[in-house]
Amino acid sequence: MNLFAPGNQHSSQQARQRRLRRTVGFAAGGGLFIILGFTAACSNGGANGQNAAGGLMAQAAPVTVAQAAMKTIPVQVTAIGNGEAYSTINVKSQVDGVIESVAFREGQDVKSGDVLFRIDSRPFQATLAQSEANLARDQAQLAFAQGQLQRNQQLFDQGIISKDQFDQFRATADEYQASVKADQSAIENAKIQLGYCVIRSTIDGRTGNLMVHAGNLVKNNDATLVTINRISPIYVDFSVPEQYLPEIRKYQAGGGLKVEATVPQDAGRPETGVLSFINNMVDTSTGTILLKGTFPNPDRRLWPGQFVNVTLRLSAQPNAIVVPAQAVQTGQTGHYVFVVKPGNTVDLRPVVAGNTVDGETVIQKGVAAGETVVTDGQLRLFPGAKVEVKNAS
């Protein structure tokens, strides 16, 4: 049988068209059912969304609050500083020689006059002995020359010898006199060189890294043998913007300014010192002025090169309105706080914020003493929102 005959082909096409119409009709009906169901679902969902939004509006937001207080607030400048040794010496040898012994340990505290190094002194002792021998020889020759000068003085006075002969004896005596003085100077120099064989500390301080050990050859004024830093007391260097310079100078003239240095890992125990140095010029590249504070540092909590937080106290501002620093928020138009009103609703209050001291911000305008401000939970607040105070302070 021929499957491709004209009659069979026409019958197959009609069957396919009937199946296609049934399929399209079913799909259209199903689509209508889906659309109707979706519309009903959207209507119910909208009602539920409005109810949920209304419930959210009515729900009180949990917050923590604090009261604005009136206090005397210090006027101060903060900066980052670093420790500087009160005095530093780089110990070097003043003679050539071999290190015989080291009389301290690395990192040891030493006093002024303590022995640090001993250099082999035998060559210098020999030089001293030779200078002393030269002195003895020249002193003997001087004594003989002076005796001859005295004897020939009488002969010259009697006219027995000529003036040239007498001048010869006097020149010889003067020559040996000069030799004796030269020998005495050589002895003093030999004693000084011999004294350099014992190297002592010239300050009270703490020794650093030892650069040479016993047996090493050192040269006059060559390499540093060890560095000693005095750290009690100690300086703290810090720089502040030049705009504070007139005010700092004004308060410095009225008396010593107090400086506090806080170690970042131990912020609860600040070290207290006084401002002792204002640099004589402003750094034009940074627009800052270098200052130094002097700290007694009895416990040696401050260390040379250590970074610390520095607070320079200038004066005090009485009757300042302060709030916790976390209560002050920043918006597009400036700073603001949320003030809790009667009925546990909040009001958004623009404020003029001043300095922040010890976690409290000075409010120059916008809040009165005794008003309650929100310190936590501001993200859920808006003007007129209801709040629930969780932790009043």
Side-chain angles (χ1 to χ4, degrees), residues 14 16 34 36 40 93 131 194 252 259 261 307 330 334 346:
Q14 290 179 347
R16 284 195 299 271
I34 292 171
L36 292 175
S93 174
S131 298
L194 181 60
Q252 177 75 350
V259 185
F307 285 94
T330 303
V346 294

Side-chain angles (χ1 to χ4, degrees), residues 173-256:
D174 291 343
E175 180 182 355
Y176 285 120
Q177 180 70 41
S179 297
V180 168
K181 291 182 177 180
D183 294 337
Q184 291 174 340
S185 297
I187 290 175
E188 290 300 321
N189 181 64
K191 288 181 178 179
I192 291 174
Q193 298 297 312
L194 181 60
Y196 288 155
C197 292
V198 179
I199 303 177
R200 300 177 183 273
S201 175
T202 57
I203 63 171
D204 296 346
R206 187 178 182 90
T207 59
N209 185 32
L210 182 62
M211 305 304 296
V212 297
H213 299 273
N216 289 129
L217 176 65
V218 293
K219 294 184 178 181
N220 178 21
N221 197 27
D222 189 13
T224 298
L225 309 182
V226 70
T227 299
I228 301 177
N229 287 331
R230 185 177 181 183
I231 57 180
S232 296
I234 193 172
Y235 290 125
V236 172
D237 304 344
F238 59 100
S239 297
V240 300
E242 60 179 315
Q243 66 194 50
Y244 295 111
L245 181 58
E247 196 170 4
I248 291 174
R249 293 183 60 192
K250 179 182 71 173
Y251 288 113
Q252 177 75 350

